[in-house]
Amino acid sequence: MPGLTSASGLIGLLDEPDQQLKCYALQNLDKLVDQFWAEIADSVSKIEVLYEDDQFSERNLAALVASKVYYHLGEYDESMMFALGAGDLFDITAKSEYVETMIFPQKADPRLQDIVERMFRKCYETEDYKPAIGIAIEARRLDVVEEGINLASWRSKDKKGKERSSEEEKDGGVELMEYVLEISMNVVQEIGLREKLLRLLVNLFLSQSSPDYFSISKCVIHLNDTSLAAKTLQELVQKEDTKSLLVAYQIAFDLDSSATQEFLQKTGKYYRSIRQILRGTKSIEIALEFLFRNNHTDMSILNKIKDSLEARNSIFHTAVTFSNAFMNAGTTSDGFFRANLEWLSKAVNWSKFTATAALGVIHRGNLSQGLKLLEPYLPQERVSTGSPYSQGGSLYALGLIYANHGTDVLDFLKKRFESTSDEMVQHGGALGLGVAGMATGNLAIYDKLRTVLYSDSAIAGEAVGLAMGLVMLGTGSSTSLEDMIQYAHDTQHEKIIRGLAIGMALIMFGKQEAADDLINTLLDDPDPTLRYGGIMTIAMAYCGTGSNKAIRQLLHVAVSDVNDDVRRVSVMSLGFILFRKPNAVPRMVELLSESYNPHVRYGASLALGISCAGTGLDEAIDLLEPMIKDPTDFVRQGALISMAMILVQQNDQMNPKVASLRKTFEGMVGEKHEDAMAKFGAALALGIIDAGGRNVTIGLQTQTGSLNLPAIVGMAVFTQYWYWFPLTHFLSLSFMPTGLIGLDDELNVPDFKFWSNTRPSLFDYPPKVEESAEKAPEKIATAVLSTTVKARQRAKRSEKEKAAKEAAAKGEDAMETDHTVSTPKRAEKEKVGYELGNMSRVLPEQLKYISFISDGRYEPVKKPTGGILLLLDRTPSEPVRLMELKARKATVPTATGPSHTVGPVNDGPGTGGAAAAVNVLNAEDDEGDEDAPLPEDFEYITDGETEEEL
């Protein structure tokens, strides 16, 4: 009915005695109810009377209209009752919000069950399984999910049997199981329902003739079922065939990249090789080797940063330290310190702490030599010499080297921590204990930390509160939370309260609804620092879930809280909730990025960086580009850091804006009139974009799709650099090597080739920056008279005429002589497809182009997902050519003696920095010197006086 602005005419027809007119009115009201439901609602009683009239021919239609009116009114029970009364007129196949809302069971009404069952039967008859299974999951009908998977599997087998197809087609049931697994991991938000689905999937996978053990391992990690993990590994090993053993090893490596230390320790009770993998030592050793041999750090960029920033300014000195640490993270290349000892000597107090801790980032994963490397810096028992800042930094560095795998150093760190009373050493020791003992739930360490907390030292207390959360990460320990929230209310130190607030958030990592009580308690607190902790608890508890409830809560606080810090972290936390859906974040924060409040703008920039890290997403870059020119310095800082996170490992072929943005970073570092905070951000950006020798990305989920626990925690703590610069080093926990590393059944690294079906330049390293020669000062142009110019022009013409005559005499064309230009050779077209060797860099976007040579010696046990890949040897009887592990051979220069005399330095240009810097970093700061003498009196002569008069 075009042009209708009111339903009053149709409603009036309901009062007519003629049934045909009433039916006409109902038919049109059914079409218009979504538009005029508010007007119809006033007369819904008339429609109900028609439904209750047994003599009325269109009772079902009246019920349907009444149902839709009550649906719009939000009275779902009433709406459901009338929908059931509508019978077949209620179309279960209609794609509308009304129908989808109604078909989910509100009560166990048999009529409703009949509608839902009819829908399930129809879907299964037409082999349209996914919609039925999706609705069954929403309705908690796991029996229907199981029935659909079994039916699809049976039909696939029956079809294969009839067709006698020789091609290997994927079983329909297995496809559905993978679909349900994806929904369980990424869509289902209720923990109880997710666990039931995963248990069902484990049983279904195990019932297959050839179980998909890699999918089973994903379920095991999310269920946190150590006994099932150990049983699965044990069964695979006991099969006693090479392929099963390789699958067991591959699962062990996948578990190591995804599970907590506590989970791995409980699982690794069987077999030496699997224990070695689950301890993490093998994967760390391989990652270290990959970063060591593929290091492409451009030291000229780092030198430019150093030369552009004044070293006597502690902020700038610290910025260079972070850039060096990030660029060389995990490569063991610390030669920058050795080459710049004079610059390093300008570090004092906390700058010295940060510089020493940077060694932990550079040597992260160097488990065999980490303790030896840091020995000259570490606090010695009953020896009080040396700088407490470098001693605290060395304990922090030791924790970073053994991050999330601290079994071998936890006792050492605990002893050094409890044997000191120096606040700076306690600060570094607490951070080291926290990062090395992450998620162990070690109560002995927790008790030592709590004892120092109760001493009420602001410097030590901040790190201790954070460390308590790191050690109890994800445990949800109510006892720990009670201790921490009680002390947060008792102390007067804001630093301690902040450390405890972040620590409580970490304890609730991944707990979702179980964290709601703590969240509400913290958000209702009058102290803004604890409200800040409440927001971080939302970010950690609902990390990667995409929870609508969490997003609504964050957006509400972002526009309503009176404190800028709380508003800033609310917007920033959107990145943690939505990092699995990066495309959704730019649209969500677009308006927030233009907020009048600079703290909200900063939060929007960090949300983009966290969620879109490593993606090169154009929409995120477009939002950040104007923020780099924001009038507020800290907004520019956040935009620069986030831009680098997004563009990490991108080159000009992948994103044409990379080159210009790199120049922007370098230009801001060198700009004399730029604010210090923006320069700090630009220096960090240059370190992040080339992190790990250009061989790492920032990944908050593993290659197998699970949450990357150390990476998320590292990113969360890194964002606290706003309050405390040394926490910036935590970002290195988010760095994930992007290599393809093949291992055989002996866990050795064989020398073999695989194929990348792309142009070599598409995923190549960015070109190194060319050293530009210094510009010579321009000479002032000499004034030239107009008559002189004319004379020169006449001379040139006469020379050309003379040359033309000579050329003509020789039979040559004068114009060709003057203007002949050698044509450059045409550039060869780049070929598509090239070979790569084992341990080569392979970017996540490149994986889909990777294939193994069909007639090659090695075959992967699963589809390449990056990282470590186990290989099945097709010709095991032939001798194997192994790759030499270069990182093992690289020795750490030592500094010996009580005075820490520098020992022999490695000949390599990129090493030896730790040993060379010992005397510089261990030197005590000159805090006890006398003040500088006052200047002598001076005389000032006025314009009207002379020296003789005075």
Side-chain angles (χ1 to χ4, degrees), residues 643-900:
M643 187 72 84
M645 289 186 194
I646 294 169
L647 292 176
V648 64
Q649 287 200 317
Q650 300 280 313
N651 61 22
D652 291 340
Q653 297 286 324
M654 299 166 72
N655 194 313
K657 291 184 177 180
V658 171
S660 62
L661 287 168
R662 280 179 176 272
K663 287 180 181 177
T664 300
F665 297 162
E666 292 176 15
M668 291 185 78
V669 169
E671 175 58 51
K672 290 182 180 179
H673 303 293
E674 184 59 82
D675 290 306
M677 293 182 76
K679 283 189 173 187
F680 181 87
L684 254 64
L686 286 167
I688 293 168
I689 200 170
D690 286 337
R694 297 180 170 178
N695 290 298
V696 300
T697 188
I698 296 176
L700 301 190
Q701 57 182 339
T702 64
Q703 290 100 333
T704 56
S706 302
L707 294 180
N708 188 344
L709 184 141
I712 294 168
V713 171
M715 182 66 75
V717 179
F718 160 72
T719 60
Q720 307 311 305
Y721 82 89
W722 176 279
Y723 304 102
W724 188 230
F725 281 157
L727 298 180
T728 306
H729 284 313
F730 268 82
L731 183 62
S732 63
L733 302 185
S734 301
F735 295 162
M736 186 169 68
T738 51
L740 193 60
I741 304 162
L743 301 182
D744 62 15
D745 58 346
E746 298 290 331
L747 301 184
N748 292 321
V749 186
D751 188 1
F752 77 101
K753 305 287 185 185
F754 55 93
W755 189 258
S756 177
N757 194 31
T758 62
R759 292 178 287 108
S761 64
L762 182 58
F763 298 109
D764 199 6
Y765 291 97
K768 289 201 171 187
V769 176
E770 294 181 4
E771 294 282 357
S772 57
E774 291 185 6
K775 290 183 179 179
E778 295 182 3
K779 295 181 179 179
I780 299 172
T782 307
V784 181
L785 296 173
S786 59
T787 53
T788 308
V789 173
K790 290 178 180 178
R792 287 177 180 173
Q793 288 175 347
R794 284 196 299 272
K796 282 183 181 179
R797 278 200 299 272
S798 62
E799 285 177 9
K800 284 183 181 179
E801 288 172 3
K802 185 178 178 181
K805 288 177 183 178
E806 290 177 358
K810 294 180 181 178
E812 296 175 354
D813 189 357
M815 294 300 290
E816 286 183 9
T817 304
D818 281 346
H819 301 290
T820 299
V821 179
S822 60
T823 55
K825 289 185 178 179
R826 193 174 179 182
E828 291 185 11
K829 190 175 180 181
E830 199 174 10
K831 293 181 180 179
V832 175
Y834 62 103
E835 277 189 341
L836 286 168
N838 196 5
M839 279 205 167
S840 291
R841 185 182 85 148
V842 176
L843 303 188
E845 299 90 339
Q846 190 178 1
L847 284 167
K848 57 188 173 186
Y849 302 107
I850 295 297
S851 59
F852 278 69
I853 300 168
S854 56
D855 57 348
R857 176 169 181 172
Y858 294 100
E859 174 189 356
V861 297
K862 72 166 187 176
K863 185 178 178 181
T865 56
I868 294 174
L869 185 66
L870 271 294
L871 305 171
L872 181 65
D873 191 348
R874 291 192 178 110
T875 55
S877 58
E878 294 182 9
V880 178
R881 188 172 62 182
L882 301 177
M883 296 181 72
E884 181 185 10
L885 298 184
K886 298 178 181 179
R888 278 184 187 172
K889 290 193 169 185
T891 57
V892 173
T894 57
T896 58
S899 59
H900 304 309

Side-chain angles (χ1 to χ4, degrees), residues 58 100 231 308 338 344 374 398 495 508 589 611 613 701 715 775:
E58 295 288 345
E100 291 176 2
K231 182 182 176 184
S308 301
R338 185 180 70 173
L344 191 61
L374 292 172
L398 189 62
K495 282 178 170 289
M508 280 298 179
V589 303
S611 58
Q701 57 182 339
M715 182 66 75
K775 290 183 179 179

Side-chain angles (χ1 to χ4, degrees), residues 374 394-404 409 413 431-433 435-436:
L374 292 172
S394 66
L395 292 174
Y396 183 15
L398 189 62
L400 289 168
I401 289 175
Y402 289 84
N404 199 36
V409 294
L413 283 167
L431 292 176
L433 275 170
V435 74

Side-chain angles (χ1 to χ4, degrees), residues 115-155:
I115 291 174
V116 176
E117 292 291 348
R118 277 194 289 133
M119 185 194 63
F120 288 147
R121 285 197 297 273
K122 182 178 179 182
C123 288
Y124 287 167
E125 284 170 7
T126 58
E127 298 189 15
D128 192 11
Y129 298 105
K130 289 184 178 180
I133 283 178
I135 293 171
I137 291 172
E138 288 284 352
R140 277 64 173 170
R141 289 287 304 275
L142 300 192
D143 58 320
V144 176
V145 175
E146 185 175 4
E147 179 189 353
I149 291 171
N150 289 332
L151 187 61
S153 184
W154 177 81
R155 284 177 176 167

Side-chain angles (χ1 to χ4, degrees), residues 481-501:
L481 291 170
E482 288 173 11
D483 291 342
M484 294 167 79
I485 200 166
Q486 180 62 46
Y487 196 75
H489 285 125
D490 292 343
T491 186
Q492 299 299 312
H493 295 294
E494 185 181 335
K495 282 178 170 289
I496 296 178
I497 298 172
R498 184 175 298 112
L500 290 169

Side-chain angles (χ1 to χ4, degrees), residues 384-461:
S384 59
T385 57
S387 169
Y389 292 99
S390 67
Q391 290 175 1
S394 66
L395 292 174
Y396 183 15
L398 189 62
L400 289 168
I401 289 175
Y402 289 84
N404 199 36
H405 293 87
T407 308
D408 296 335
V409 294
L410 282 177
D411 288 338
F412 175 86
L413 283 167
K414 188 169 64 173
K415 287 177 182 176
R416 292 293 184 269
F417 176 72
E418 62 184 332
S419 65
T420 184
S421 58
D422 191 293
E423 291 177 323
M424 282 70 79
V425 181
Q426 286 178 335
H427 185 94
L431 292 176
L433 275 170
V435 74
M438 188 187 301
T440 57
N442 190 315
L443 292 177
I445 295 175
Y446 175 82
D447 289 340
K448 298 294 182 187
L449 291 167
R450 184 175 56 184
T451 301
V452 174
L453 175 71
Y454 290 161
S455 68
D456 206 40
S457 163
I459 293 175

Side-chain angles (χ1 to χ4, degrees), residues 4 8 14 88 95 164 319 435 534 549 674 713 793 844 850 939:
L4 198 65
S8 58
L14 296 175
D88 291 335
K95 303 292 184 183
R164 300 179 184 274
V435 74
K549 180 180 77 172
E674 184 59 82
V713 171
Q793 288 175 347
I850 295 297
E939 295 175 349

Side-chain angles (χ1 to χ4, degrees), residues 112-392:
L112 176 61
Q113 286 183 347
D114 179 61
I115 291 174
V116 176
E117 292 291 348
R118 277 194 289 133
M119 185 194 63
F120 288 147
R121 285 197 297 273
K122 182 178 179 182
C123 288
Y124 287 167
E125 284 170 7
T126 58
E127 298 189 15
D128 192 11
Y129 298 105
K130 289 184 178 180
I133 283 178
I135 293 171
I137 291 172
E138 288 284 352
R140 277 64 173 170
R141 289 287 304 275
L142 300 192
D143 58 320
V144 176
V145 175
E146 185 175 4
E147 179 189 353
I149 291 171
N150 289 332
L151 187 61
S153 184
W154 177 81
R155 284 177 176 167
S156 292
K157 290 175 184 175
D158 186 55
K159 194 180 293 184
K160 283 182 185 178
K162 288 179 180 177
E163 294 177 0
R164 300 179 184 274
S165 175
S166 59
E167 296 181 7
E168 260 188 57
E169 294 180 7
K170 196 174 246 190
D171 187 282
V174 173
E175 279 189 359
L176 280 181
M177 283 189 273
E178 291 174 355
Y179 172 71
V180 174
L181 178 59
E182 183 181 353
I183 288 177
S184 303
M185 303 259 282
N186 301 322
V187 178
V188 175
Q189 296 179 7
E190 186 185 325
I191 295 177
L193 176 60
R194 185 190 302 136
E195 288 186 355
K196 290 178 182 177
L197 280 170
L198 294 175
R199 294 279 178 197
L200 172 64
L201 286 173
V202 168
N203 293 333
L204 289 171
F205 276 122
L206 290 173
S207 66
Q208 299 288 312
S209 56
S210 299
D212 183 354
Y213 286 104
F214 299 115
S215 295
I216 292 171
S217 71
K218 289 182 184 179
C219 298
V220 166
I221 292 168
H222 279 77
L223 289 169
N224 200 31
D225 191 334
T226 55
S227 60
L228 180 58
K231 182 182 176 184
T232 304
L233 292 171
Q234 190 177 15
E235 286 177 359
L236 283 166
V237 174
Q238 287 177 346
K239 287 185 178 181
E240 296 185 352
D241 65 278
T242 305
K243 188 167 185 179
S244 296
L245 183 65
L246 289 171
V247 169
Y249 289 168
Q250 185 69 63
I251 289 173
F253 277 115
D254 292 346
L255 289 173
D256 173 57
S257 68
S258 307
T260 64
Q261 288 190 71
E262 184 182 20
F263 181 94
L264 298 174
Q265 287 165 6
K266 290 180 179 178
T267 305
K269 295 178 182 177
Y270 305 97
Y271 310 105
R272 181 184 59 82
S273 295
I274 289 179
R275 260 201 314 274
Q276 184 187 12
I277 295 170
L278 294 178
R279 283 190 64 198
T281 52
K282 190 65 183 179
S283 57
I284 290 173
E285 178 190 2
I286 296 298
L288 185 74
E289 174 66 26
F290 166 74
L291 294 174
F292 181 84
R293 68 166 55 228
N294 291 292
N295 186 6
H296 278 69
T297 300
D298 190 347
M299 295 305 292
S300 63
I301 296 175
L302 193 55
N303 288 326
K304 281 183 180 179
I305 299 172
K306 176 184 71 70
D307 294 339
S308 301
L309 300 179
E310 174 54 52
R312 291 193 179 278
N313 186 322
S314 64
I315 294 177
F316 293 157
H317 195 286
T318 302
V320 177
T321 298
F322 290 138
S323 294
N324 174 40
F326 291 160
M327 283 188 186
N328 294 292
T331 64
T332 72
S333 177
D334 57 12
F336 180 78
F337 282 166
R338 185 180 70 173
N340 296 280
L341 292 177
E342 183 182 352
W343 165 84
L344 191 61
S345 66
K346 295 174 183 176
V348 294
N349 299 336
W350 290 106
S351 295
K352 190 173 288 187
F353 176 94
T354 304
T356 311
L359 293 170
V361 176
I362 295 170
H363 289 272
R364 187 186 168 205
N366 194 359
L367 305 186
S368 61
Q369 302 181 36
L371 201 56
K372 178 183 176 184
L373 176 101
L374 292 172
E375 187 177 2
Y377 299 90
L378 293 165
Q380 307 296 322
E381 290 185 280
R382 294 182 296 278
V383 177
S384 59
T385 57
S387 169
Y389 292 99
S390 67
Q391 290 175 1

